[in-house]
Structure formats: C-alpha cells, structure tokens
Amino acid sequence: MVVLSDPASAHATTVAAMDDASGAGEIDDLRRRLRRVELALAATGDAVWEWNLVTNETYYSPRWYEQLGYRDGELPMGFETWKGLCHPDDFEAAVATINATLMLPTSEGYATEFRMKHADGSWIWILGRGRVVERDAAGAPVLVSGTNADISARRRTEHDLAESDRRLRALADNLPRGMMYQLVIDAEGRRRFAFVSAGVTQAHGLTPEQVYRDAGLIYAQIHPDDLAGLVAAEEESRRTGAVFEVEGRMRHPDGDERWVLVRSSPRRGGHGETIWDGVELDITESRRAQLAAVEHERRFRLMVQNFNDILLIMDREGIERYVSSACERILGFAPEELIGRPGIAFVHADDHAAIREAMYATVSGAMRSVTLEFRHVHKDGSWRWLEAVGTSMLNDPAIAGVVMIARDVTARHHAEAERERLEDHLRHAQKMESIGRLAGGIAHDFNNLLTAIKGNVALALADLADPAAARELLEEAELAADSAANLTQQLLAFSRKQVVAPRVIDLHTTIAGLQKMLGRLLGEPIALDVGLAPGLWAVKIDPGQLEQILVNLALNARDAMPAGGRLTIAAANATLSETRARARDLAPGDYVQIEVADTGPGMSEAIRARAFEPFFTTKELGKGTGLGLATVYGAVTQHRGHIELRTSSAGTAFTLLLPRCTEPTAAAPEAARAGLPTGTETIVLVEDDHQVRALALRILRRLGYTVHAFASAEAALAELDRLEPLDLLLTDVVMPGMNGRELADAVRARRAAIKVLFSSGYSPDDIVRHGVHDGRLDLLEKPYQPSTLATRVRAILDRA
C-alpha cells in the first residue's frame, strides 16, 4: 500500500504537472480552487481518503489519523489496512455496502456506519461516505474518494435515548391497572393519541393501533355524566397550562363500569397544537372501598346517634375527643359542650380515685378493658349514675384513644336504695314479730329467775338468825341474778350490742373453772367428760363470751338428751394448712380446737341447715328463745374464729377454731368476796337509778372511800365547788338531762386532775351516741359485781 502522507508534496506534484500542461493563467485558477478545497475540508473536521482501485494506492488525510489517535502516517503493525482497524462485527456489512456502490453504473455514493479501533484501545463510531470519482473507458471504477466522520457522541446519545425510551415503555406497559398516554389536540380541536402504553388493552379493551387510528374510541367510553367535566378540565388545562386531575367513570366493553383517575400535564407544540403527557389509573377498588367506608361511617353514625348508651373517646390525658348525641338526652350536655374538656371535671369528687385508677389501668396497658360505676353531673346540677366499660384502643391509629360506653343506671341505683330501705323495714318488722314471739320465752325465763331470787331473799330474811343458812340462800339468789345477766347478754350479743372486752386467757384455767357449774346445769343423768391436751395455746377472747359459748352448747346438749347421756368437752392445738384454712375462710396458721360433743339422737338435715339462725328453735312456745346457737356463732366469728356442726344418729358435735395468741396471759381477776382492794380517796358518784346508786354507795363506803352521791349531773355540778378534795368521778352515761360525757367535760373544766370512770348497761351504739365512743375511755359494764367495781376503781386511781 502506498501512503501519501504529505499533502503539500502531493499538491506540489499536481501543480508541477499542471505547469507542464497549461498556461500560467490556468495554473493560478487551479491553485485557487485547490486552496478552497483544503479550507473546506479543514472546516468540516472530517477525515478525507482516496483509493485507487487500479494501483491499490490509498491516501489518508492528517485528520484521518487524528480521529484514531495516531500521528500522521504512523499506524501500528497489523493495523496498516482499513480491514485491520474495522470492528469485526461491522466489517462485512460495511464492505457489502461499498461493493454494492462500486457495482452501480452511476456515480451514486454510499454511506455506512462502523466502528474503528482507536489508539487507546477503545472503539469509535465512524460514518463513512464515498463515491466513484473516476472510471475507465469501459466504465469500470478506477478512483474512489470519501470522508470519515466521528459519530461516537451521536451514537451514545442515540443509545441513551433508546434505553430511556425502552425503560419508559416498559414502565408504561407494566403500569398496574392503568395506562400512560400522549394526547395531541391540534389548533382545530382534533384529537389523536401519539402514544398509549400496552395497558390500554386492559383498561379499555382496545389495541394501541385502534386508539392511534381513532381517539374517539376512548372518549366514547366515558360516562355521559362525567364527559363534560373531563372536557372542561382539558380546556382549562390547555388555556392555563396547568396540570389537571379528574376522576370519572368509564364503561368497559365487557359492560363493567370502572372509576379512573386521569392526571395530565400540558405543553405547547410547534404548530399550535397542545400535547398532554398523562396517566390514567384504575381506581375502582379504592373508590368502592371509599364509598363503602363512607356508607359504613354513615351507618355507624346513624347507629351511634340512635344508641341508648353514651359512646365517647378519650385521649391519654383523659380529654374527651368524641361524644355521641345520646349524651344530651342522658346528661343534658350537647356533645360540643364536653369535647375538648377533661372528663373527670364532670365526675363526682368521691369517684375521682376510681376514674383515675381505671384510666391508668387502660393507658398503661395493665388492663385492656375495665368496668366501673361513677356519678356524672347532669346539666341541671343533679347527679346521674353511669355504668361504663372502657377499652383501650390507643394503638389503633384510626382511634388512638380509650373508647368508653356508658349506660345510665340511675334508676337502678334508686331502685336498689329503695329495695334496701324496704328490706330494712321488712327485717325490722320480722324482728319485731320475732321479738313478740320471744316474749313468752323470755318472760318464762325471767319469771323463773325472779322467783328464785325473791324466794331465796325472803328465806334469807327469815333465817337471819342462822347466818350459814342465810348465806347459802343468798348465794343461790346471786346465781339466779347471774343467769339473768347472761340472758341479757345473749340478747345483746344477738343484736351485736354487747360490750366485748377480749383479753388473753389460759383455756386450762377457764374451762376447768366452768366444769363444776356445767355439771350442775347438766344434772345427774348426763355425764360430763373434760379432756384438755397439755400445753394448750392461749387465745384472745372475752372470758364472759367464752363461758357463754360453752354454757349454751352444754344447755343444747342437755335438752337433746332428756333421758341422759354423755357430754364431752375436748381441747387441743391445731395448725391449719392453706387448703384447710381456705375451706373455712380462715387464715393459715395456729389455732386451738375446742370440741363439744353429745350422744343424743342428732339433728335432721332441715334442722341442721337452720341451726345458727336467730330465733330458730325446736322447743315449744315459751320454752326457748332461739338465740343460743346464734349467739355462739356470732361470738366465735367476732373473735376471728370458725364453728362447724356435725350430726348423725350417734350424736351432735360442735367444733370451734380460735386463733392462737402469743401475747402474755392476763392476770386472773381477784376473788369476788375476799381481798378486795380498798382506799381512802374521795369519789363523786352520779347515778339516776336509785337502787344502783344505793348499791354502789354501800360498796364504795365499805371499801373505805368517801363518797358524795347525786341523782343527776346538774345536782352534782351544783355542789362541786363545796367538795374538797375530789379524786374520782364515777358517772352513769345515759341520764335525763346532761349525760355522763357532758358532766365529765364540765367537771374537768373545773377540776382538771380528776379521774373518770363511766358506767352503763346500754349497748355500744347507744354509748357512742352519748359521747363515749372509743376504747381509750374507761367503761364499767352493768351489771357488775362488788369485786369488779372495787378492782376498776382502784386501778384507775392508781394509774399515773
């Protein structure tokens, strides 16, 4: 291959040849034309080449080398020919194009694109153009000339555009339930689609080709009621250049009606047309869901508005965010009067703690749902009872609150209060009726006791000459009086009006001390066995009540064995497990178990079921009060104990469980008639009952005290200033006029150091009403023995 790498020498050779062939004028003209050609070639930036088909000589311009990154005329080994530089994938196609041109009889040129190897190893795209510029006499091509242009940048741009178009079409064709489009409306208002994605088939049942031919096929599917709105939106968008968005219905060829959202952005074309690039989305499902939600909300609101109960929603802080219309009917407040305000502001102060506890439980997550009752103020100022169920829905974004349904239960509360009032009246009436039935039995018992007292006292008076006989008769009268006191205590215990003074006692001493008296009560036909386990634990109980319990059980046993039998009293320590204690509604731990068992015929199931009922008795009228076992039951439970009843044809057994007490045992009371404590202090005695006043005066003076006795508080106060000294005030609590507490306050106001001992035979309820209301004040219960009076007076006087 001959390479003419120096265009200047080529130019000189050509000029010299022209000098030989022509005159000077022709030479100058040729030079000017050559110069113009050189300038034109330099201005294009294209590489020039020439190929002689006869000699196979080629010429490449300096630009040709420059395009490929080589110096002028220098090509690496193996790349000296065009074939060596052309990309293998493009060579055959380029050669075919060139050969086809060479075979043509005309001088038409060719153009072909191919890649050539750059000096840096990359491939550049070349647009090669050429034509036959010289033929021989036979018309065969002799000389071919052409240019190479670097079109790499253009090819990259075309590739990027093609890739972008591919991605856009893929996106458009894969748009779910919709299509992308380009709509053109010319200046005359004619519509045509320049582009529609493949989704048009699913959205409208049409092929892209059908839509390209006739845009009206799309518009024909628009619902008649929505067509005008869409056209108006298009026109407004065309006029203002703003993006338009509209929803409407489309009638699909399959008969289905679908909702679509059309969003399109306009731009002006170069010939007065408007071009919209837009998207059409099928929103049928969301629209149906929206319409369903609207309908659901409408039904919900209708239901709530006609709901009998109040529905409200509160946030975490207890602020009411929604209140149903039932609030106005139930509470008098319109919903807007409560919304935005704390709900607790309308709740009764006594119920605030319950409301706060319920809110904390739901908000903290401790409880998902709570139920409570509280009072809510009515607009008229009255209070309404509401029963409410609150449920936490704080984690539900649609609600984000505590939902509460509240029902007006005011009428129920009023009905319950009225029922309780009527039940109280009924219970009172029943008790009065029962007490009327008891009158015969109580009168019978008291008449017997009074007969014994009066008879023995009369005999004693007649036997004053015989002190021993008189003493025995008076002791019998004292026993009868004790029985009368016990009967009174039974009545008070049943009505829970007995004054209870529990203390720590030793059961060995107490039960052993009762054994002789119980023997006399049972009589000779009945044998009494007492079995006490060694080391019995102490218990804390009123000694009088314990005696009363055992006496009542013994008397019941005696009545169950009229022909004789055996009564057994046994006591032992017992430790209750949690299971055994729970079955008896007791706390697990240590107890003393006392069992009283007889060998009588037992009870029927009907009698056993009612054995502890007050006033229930199987005895004939006037023979029993029906208070015995009820008194026993009340006394045991009052001391946190338990009583069980077992019965069979072999007999009946009562088992008592009394809790162990670890406190030190109280000292035993002094003997009733020996070693009574005495004194020389001065005492003011105020007692409105003449006989009790006379007895107390006689006892205290025998004990050595100076006593000033008065029948009323007023009389005592009138003489108070003349009495010196004064150490103790012994006063009845309930008296006509000024009561004992008022008297004590008045005396202490004038004699601050004086000590006070109250005395009463009334119940604690009555004593509270008269001012002695707690265990810190000293109270002497009537009836009392001389020994009890002596001991209590001395103890108070000796107290610091």
Side-chain angles (χ1 to χ4, degrees):
M1 179 178 71
V2 179
V3 179
L4 301 176
S5 60
D6 187 357
S9 63
H11 174 68
T13 304
T14 304
V15 172
M18 288 188 294
D19 285 343
D20 293 339
S22 307
E26 293 177 349
I27 292 172
D28 290 339
D29 182 59
L30 181 58
R31 285 173 174 166
R32 284 193 296 273
R33 282 185 289 171
L34 286 172
R35 179 63 178 165
R36 284 196 294 270
V37 171
E38 289 175 354
L39 291 174
L41 289 171
T44 62
D46 293 344
V48 178
W49 55 269
E50 191 176 79
W51 178 27
N52 191 314
L53 300 178
V54 177
T55 65
N56 204 30
E57 292 180 346
T58 57
Y59 164 76
Y60 300 113
S61 69
R63 177 62 181 154
W64 189 90
Y65 291 96
E66 185 182 338
Q67 277 183 346
L68 298 175
Y70 298 104
R71 287 185 294 178
D72 189 7
E74 296 181 1
L75 289 173
M77 185 69 67
F79 292 94
E80 297 89 346
T81 64
W82 175 71
K83 180 180 179 180
L85 292 170
C86 186
H87 195 287
D89 295 344
D90 304 334
F91 178 74
E92 291 184 4
V95 169
T97 300
I98 294 172
N99 287 338
T101 301
L102 294 177
M103 294 173 65
L104 292 174
T106 62
S107 298
E108 293 182 3
Y110 71 86
T112 183
E113 296 180 0
F114 51 87
R115 286 164 288 182
M116 292 187 73
K117 191 77 169 183
H118 193 273
D120 63 6
S122 64
W123 296 95
I124 63 172
W125 277 97
I126 299 295
L127 171 61
R129 293 187 179 96
R131 70 177 52 247
V132 177
V133 295
E134 184 180 341
R135 294 178 183 273
D136 61 13
V142 174
L143 187 65
V144 180
S145 180
T147 60
N148 284 1
D150 185 351
I151 61 169
S152 298
R154 191 200 79 192
R155 287 297 294 247
R156 284 194 297 270
T157 301
E158 289 174 350
H159 177 271
D160 291 344
L161 289 174
E163 181 63 20
S164 176
D165 184 65
R166 185 192 66 79
R167 288 197 298 266
L168 181 61
R169 283 184 176 274
L171 176 64
D173 290 342
N174 289 282
L175 186 68
R177 305 187 67 81
M179 70 173 187
M180 297 180 71
Y181 68 88
Q182 187 180 84
L183 175 67
V184 179
I185 302 180
D186 62 20
E188 284 73 35
R190 292 187 294 267
R191 293 179 173 84
R192 68 179 178 85
F193 283 97
F195 166 76
V196 290
S197 65
V200 70
T201 302
Q202 181 183 7
H204 295 280
L206 302 169
T207 65
E209 291 71 21
Q210 289 176 301
V211 176
Y212 292 147
R213 286 195 302 269
D214 185 1
L217 294 175
I218 296 291
Y219 283 82
Q221 293 183 5
I222 301 175
H223 194 284
D225 295 343
D226 301 333
L227 179 60
L230 176 62
V231 173
E234 280 183 350
E235 176 59 26
E236 179 69 14
S237 176
R238 185 197 64 77
R239 185 178 61 81
T240 63
V243 175
F244 83 85
E245 183 176 298
V246 67
E247 292 183 6
R249 289 161 289 178
M250 290 282 186
R251 288 178 173 171
H252 196 273
D254 64 6
D256 190 20
E257 183 177 276
R258 302 180 181 179
W259 279 90
V260 296
L261 169 67
V262 179
R263 181 180 175 84
S264 193
S265 177
R267 55 190 171 89
R268 295 291 182 182
H271 303 285
E273 75 274 21
T274 303
I275 304 169
W276 277 277
D277 298 305
V279 62
E280 176 190 291
L281 298 175
D282 187 336
I283 60 170
T284 305
E285 295 302 323
S286 63
R287 184 76 179 192
R288 286 173 180 169
Q290 180 183 5
L291 292 174
V294 170
E295 176 62 16
H296 177 75
E297 183 178 359
R298 185 190 68 81
R299 291 178 180 176
F300 177 75
R301 287 187 176 275
L302 187 64
M303 179 186 70
V304 169
Q305 288 170 0
N306 292 278
F307 199 36
N308 287 330
D309 300 336
I310 301 171
L311 175 65
L312 59 90
I313 301 175
M314 294 186 293
D315 62 17
R316 290 179 178 274
E317 286 69 40
I319 305 300
E320 297 185 1
R321 299 303 182 190
Y322 173 81
V323 181
S324 66
S325 58
C327 176
E328 188 164 9
R329 175 173 50 80
I330 295 174
L331 298 173
F333 292 101
E336 55 270 19
E337 294 181 272
L338 302 182
I339 293 175
R341 301 181 66 182
I344 201 169
F346 300 90
V347 175
H348 196 286
D350 293 346
D351 301 330
H352 282 189
I355 291 290
R356 289 193 179 97
E357 183 178 347
M359 279 297 295
Y360 175 78
T362 52
V363 171
S364 67
M367 298 177 66
R368 187 175 183 274
S369 182
V370 295
T371 302
L372 71 158
E373 291 189 3
F374 59 92
R375 284 158 290 183
H376 193 292
V377 69
H378 191 278
K379 193 171 183 178
D380 63 10
S382 62
W383 293 99
R384 296 290 191 273
W385 275 98
L386 299 182
E387 180 183 63
V389 177
T391 303
S392 174
M393 301 191 73
L394 292 164
N395 295 327
D396 187 337
I399 298 176
V402 176
V403 179
M404 183 172 287
I405 298 176
R407 174 170 297 177
D408 184 1
V409 292
T410 307
R412 188 183 75 192
H413 269 265
H414 288 166
E416 289 175 352
E418 178 63 15
R419 187 183 70 244
E420 290 177 1
R421 187 184 67 82
L422 293 175
E423 287 177 352
D424 286 341
H425 280 296
L426 178 61
R427 282 192 294 269
H428 179 71
Q430 290 173 337
K431 180 171 284 191
M432 294 305 295
E433 180 183 0
S434 299
I435 290 174
R437 293 199 304 269
L438 281 173
I442 293 173
H444 173 271
D445 288 349
F446 266 104
N447 282 334
N448 287 341
L449 295 171
L450 291 174
T451 298
I453 294 171
K454 293 179 67 175
N456 283 296
V457 169
L459 290 174
L461 290 174
D463 290 340
L464 289 178
D466 185 354
R471 180 183 181 87
E472 182 178 353
L473 292 171
L474 290 174
E475 286 177 350
E476 290 297 327
E478 184 180 33
L479 287 174
D482 289 341
S483 298
N486 285 335
L487 182 58
T488 303
Q489 286 180 337
Q490 288 185 37
L491 291 169
L492 290 174
F494 163 66
S495 63
R496 296 191 178 273
K497 291 184 177 182
Q498 181 184 5
V499 178
V500 180
R503 60 186 177 88
V504 183
I505 63 172
D506 176 9
L507 287 176
H508 275 285
T509 303
T510 304
I511 297 178
L514 284 173
Q515 190 169 353
K516 184 177 179 181
M517 182 185 74
L518 292 176
R520 291 201 306 267
L521 288 174
L522 294 172
E524 291 184 2
I526 298 176
L528 174 63
D529 291 337
V530 177
L532 306 179
L536 283 179
W537 293 321
V539 296
K540 190 171 186 177
I541 189 171
D542 184 303
Q545 283 200 324
L546 179 59
E547 293 176 3
Q548 181 183 335
I549 290 170
L550 296 177
V551 167
N552 282 345
L553 293 178
L555 291 175
N556 268 7
R558 182 195 65 184
D559 294 341
M561 300 181 290
R566 183 175 297 278
L567 176 67
T568 302
I569 300 177
N573 297 329
T575 299
L576 298 190
S577 65
E578 186 168 350
T579 301
R580 188 181 174 195
R582 189 186 306 114
R584 292 160 175 77
D585 198 22
L586 294 174
D590 294 336
Y591 290 82
V592 175
Q593 178 176 299
I594 303 173
E595 183 171 281
V596 180
D598 65 49
T599 58
M603 306 179 187
S604 68
E605 180 58 30
I607 294 175
R608 190 200 66 79
R610 301 185 61 190
F612 294 111
E613 286 185 16
F615 308 123
F616 175 74
T617 180
T618 58
K619 301 172 184 177
E620 60 183 87
L621 184 64
K623 296 295 185 180
T625 63
L627 292 174
L629 291 181
T631 302
V632 169
Y633 181 85
V636 172
T637 55
Q638 195 173 21
H639 289 86
R640 297 181 297 112
H642 178 76
I643 183 169
E644 296 175 359
L645 165 61
R646 301 190 315 276
T647 185
S648 69
S649 58
T652 299
F654 293 88
T655 302
L656 285 65
L657 289 168
L658 297 174
R660 176 186 184 182
C661 181
T662 57
E663 299 175 19
T665 305
E670 297 184 58
R673 296 178 177 80
L676 296 182
T678 60
T680 58
E681 289 88 348
T682 301
I683 299 174
V684 173
L685 171 65
V686 182
E687 170 62 62
D688 62 315
D689 185 276
H690 170 71
Q691 291 180 330
V692 175
R693 185 173 66 252
L695 174 63
L697 178 63
R698 188 176 299 113
I699 294 171
L700 292 172
R701 283 181 174 172
R702 283 190 179 185
L703 293 173
Y705 297 104
T706 300
V707 183
H708 303 284
F710 300 95
S712 68
E714 291 80 3
L717 287 175
E719 299 293 326
L720 187 64
D721 292 337
R722 293 201 298 270
L723 303 178
E724 288 291 348
L726 289 182
D727 300 295
L728 174 70
L729 171 64
L730 172 57
T731 177
D732 191 10
V733 175
V734 181
M735 299 181 292
M738 182 181 292
N739 63 43
R741 181 58 186 269
E742 293 169 343
L743 170 62
D745 292 341
V747 171
R748 279 174 170 160
R750 293 152 69 174
R751 304 290 180 93
I754 196 170
K755 296 175 181 178
V756 180
L757 173 61
F758 294 98
S759 177
S760 180
Y762 279 91
S763 70
D765 291 342
D766 294 321
I767 295 173
V768 167
R769 285 196 298 271
H770 290 87
V772 179
H773 56 83
D774 56 42
R776 293 174 298 173
L777 300 180
D778 293 297
L779 178 66
L780 176 63
E781 183 185 353
K782 297 177 183 176
Y784 49 78
Q785 294 282 1
S787 59
T788 306
L789 176 61
T791 302
R792 292 297 304 278
V793 167
R794 188 67 263 161
I796 293 173
L797 288 172
D798 290 342
R799 186 185 302 161

